[in-house]
Amino acid sequence: MEQRITKRIKTITEFHRSRGLPHPEHPLVSVVDYSTVIRPEDIGEANWVFDFYMISLKIGINGQLKYGQQEYDFDEGTMFFISPNQVFRIETEPALQEKQSGWMLLIHPDFLWNTPLAKVIRQYDFFDYSVHEALFLSKKEEKTINEIIENIEQEYRATLDKFSQNIIISHIETLLNYSERFYERQFITRKITNHHVLNRLEEVLNEYFNDNAPVSKGLPTVQYIAQKLNISPNYLSRMLTTLTGQSTQQLIQDKLIEKAKEKLSTTDESISEIAYDLGFEHPQSFTKLFKNKTNLSPLKFRNSFH
């Protein structure tokens, strides 16, 4: 297995210096024009970790950015989000000379300190999406986002006063809320692809139960399903909620109840045996879930067939 060193960039000033950029006008927030960035010669040879948030719109980057085995080719304009301490790497294609464009917004956590945004920024799930789950913007959406970025840049380039931080924070919140809206639109407009994922989820759950995996592995988890589908857990749950009104966990529970009903109505296994077969450590947990989902105890459900 290929071994790569991990390079950490702790400050926005350090990032500017490493990319051949002038000293940042503000040490804790910066908008960088991609066309001015000089990529280090070893950029594709290492894993990278930033100690700050990076939100980017990239066009014509001529390379791939990877998390683990995931990759995304930035031939089109896409928006993606990286939070502090996420590990990623970039694989460049030096033979391509197409002009790169777009921007990146760098936000150090210290800039958010003692503001409401500091507490809620990680509640925006897209900071935990994989790179191949990037946000594709329409031209109209891109215009909206670019205007917000221009406002942020204009504000920190102006003479700073006691209002500056709150105004910039407000613009960042607006940017995140629009991103949330546009992701919702993306889930809706990709219904065909999303229905394929839903069908594949059904197959993964059926395989899990048909192979008696619950006996040895326990209940299927959201993380297990997401890994099988090659989708990050947060992206999967949000996509499914948009598509079906239910999260991944709720759909797993529905499958558990379906299998439980099948066993209760067609076998003589005890309630405890069925619970263990389905991956429950304690029969009481199985009984509680079944009753919550059906308004009947497993025993009452079984008796309704006699």
Side-chain angles (χ1 to χ4, degrees):
M1 185 175 179
E2 182 182 9
Q3 295 294 321
R4 290 172 179 259
I5 61 170
T6 297
K7 294 191 174 183
R8 179 179 290 272
I9 295 183
K10 297 183 177 181
T11 66
I12 291 174
T13 299
E14 184 183 349
F15 179 87
H16 272 242
R17 186 168 58 247
S18 70
R19 300 300 189 267
L21 298 167
H23 193 82
E25 297 189 42
H26 193 294
L28 299 179
V29 62
S30 180
V31 176
V32 175
D33 182 343
Y34 263 115
S35 65
T36 65
V37 172
I38 298 174
R39 290 184 292 189
E41 292 183 1
D42 64 346
I43 194 168
E45 299 173 3
N47 293 321
W48 296 86
V49 177
F50 296 157
D51 284 2
F52 43 84
Y53 293 93
M54 181 170 73
I55 302 171
S56 296
L57 178 70
K58 295 188 172 186
I59 304 170
I61 299 306
N62 301 333
Q64 295 174 332
L65 190 148
K66 296 189 175 184
Y67 287 97
Q69 299 303 311
Q70 310 299 336
E71 64 181 47
Y72 187 81
D73 191 348
F74 293 105
D75 286 337
E76 300 178 28
T78 56
M79 193 171 174
F80 77 102
F81 307 78
I82 292 179
S83 58
N85 298 313
Q86 284 184 304
V87 179
F88 65 95
R89 75 176 188 268
I90 299 171
E91 295 193 355
T92 59
E93 300 177 41
L96 299 176
Q97 299 299 322
E98 182 182 350
K99 187 70 173 179
Q100 62 185 26
S101 62
W103 47 260
M104 64 178 80
L105 171 63
L106 311 177
I107 310 161
H108 198 280
D110 288 354
F111 186 72
L112 308 179
W113 186 78
N114 207 27
T115 71
L117 185 56
K119 297 178 181 179
V120 302
I121 188 168
R122 288 310 302 270
Q123 293 179 16
Y124 291 93
D125 288 347
F126 41 74
F127 279 108
D128 292 318
Y129 293 169
S130 297
V131 173
H132 70 304
E133 297 155 354
L135 176 59
F136 293 77
L137 297 177
S138 68
K139 288 298 182 183
K140 183 178 179 181
E141 291 168 349
E142 188 176 325
K143 181 175 182 294
T144 298
I145 294 295
N146 284 339
E147 287 174 352
I148 299 171
I149 291 298
E150 289 170 7
N151 288 336
I152 292 173
E153 188 171 15
Q154 178 180 326
E155 186 61 35
Y156 75 70
R157 287 181 184 277
T159 302
L160 297 178
D161 56 30
K162 65 180 182 179
F163 301 103
S164 300
Q165 183 186 23
N166 287 340
I167 291 172
I168 295 172
I169 292 290
S170 178
H171 286 314
I172 293 171
E173 287 181 308
T174 301
L175 174 70
L176 296 174
N177 288 330
Y178 269 112
S179 300
E180 188 94 338
R181 168 186 280 180
F182 297 155
Y183 255 117
E184 190 75 8
R185 183 271 310 153
Q186 179 164 297
F187 289 127
I188 294 170
T189 56
R190 293 187 166 193
K191 278 190 174 180
I192 294 176
T193 301
N194 294 346
H195 275 291
H196 174 75
V197 171
L198 186 59
N199 292 337
R200 179 70 185 120
L201 181 146
E202 180 77 10
E203 292 173 1
V204 168
L205 286 173
N206 284 334
E207 290 170 4
Y208 194 85
F209 287 106
N210 291 341
D211 293 341
N212 291 321
V215 176
S216 58
K217 299 179 181 178
L219 295 169
T221 64
V222 173
Q223 288 73 20
Y224 172 84
I225 299 298
Q227 184 179 23
K228 282 290 186 179
L229 298 177
N230 205 22
I231 299 175
S232 64
N234 284 343
Y235 188 93
L236 177 62
S237 280
R238 184 167 174 193
M239 182 192 72
L240 292 173
T241 300
T242 302
L243 189 65
T244 69
Q246 293 182 291
S247 67
T248 313
Q249 185 62 44
Q250 289 171 318
L251 290 171
I252 291 172
Q253 290 176 348
D254 284 351
K255 176 59 69 172
L256 283 166
I257 298 305
E258 176 189 315
K259 292 295 182 182
K261 287 180 175 179
E262 181 182 315
K263 287 179 176 290
L264 287 166
S265 61
T266 62
T267 74
D268 293 326
E269 290 184 40
S270 68
I271 305 302
S272 294
E273 287 174 328
I274 292 173
Y276 293 130
D277 284 348
L278 293 176
F280 289 89
E281 292 185 15
H282 307 289
Q284 298 92 329
S285 299
F286 164 64
T287 298
K288 181 179 179 181
L289 176 64
F290 192 92
K291 193 167 185 179
N292 285 340
K293 288 287 187 177
T294 67
N295 292 321
L296 292 172
S297 69
L299 187 58
K300 283 187 177 181
F301 177 84
R302 168 170 275 173
N303 289 340
S304 69
F305 286 87
H306 300 289

